[in-house]
Amino acid sequence: MHETSHSWGPVSLALAIAAGLVIGGIALSAAFWLLGILAGFVFAVLKIALLIGLAALVVWGVRALFRDHSTV
């Protein structure tokens, strides 16, 4: 029987490292892209909530300002 021990050569090792870096970079950019979409959605919801809260505060303030004070 003829057995050979297959070891990685320097070129194969460099190609494996380069492929890992490329695949890792693509995966990382996709993850950051998804996090950006999620953050945009969260900030859009917060903006709507802030506008609703501000409108409620204005309505409450107008009602308090023009309330009939003679019945107190």
Side-chain angles (χ1 to χ4, degrees):
M1 286 202 158
H2 180 54
E3 288 187 27
T4 59
S5 62
H6 181 71
S7 64
W8 290 86
V11 174
S12 299
L13 191 59
L15 286 175
I17 291 172
L21 287 175
V22 168
I23 292 171
I26 291 171
L28 194 61
S29 66
F32 281 137
W33 181 68
L34 287 174
L35 283 175
I37 289 174
L38 182 64
F41 178 72
V42 167
F43 283 119
V45 169
L46 284 176
K47 189 189 304 184
I48 291 170
L50 183 67
L51 288 175
I52 290 172
L54 186 61
L57 185 65
V58 168
V59 167
W60 177 78
V62 167
R63 283 186 178 179
L65 186 64
F66 293 111
R67 182 177 61 196
D68 187 15
H69 295 286
S70 62
T71 61
V72 174

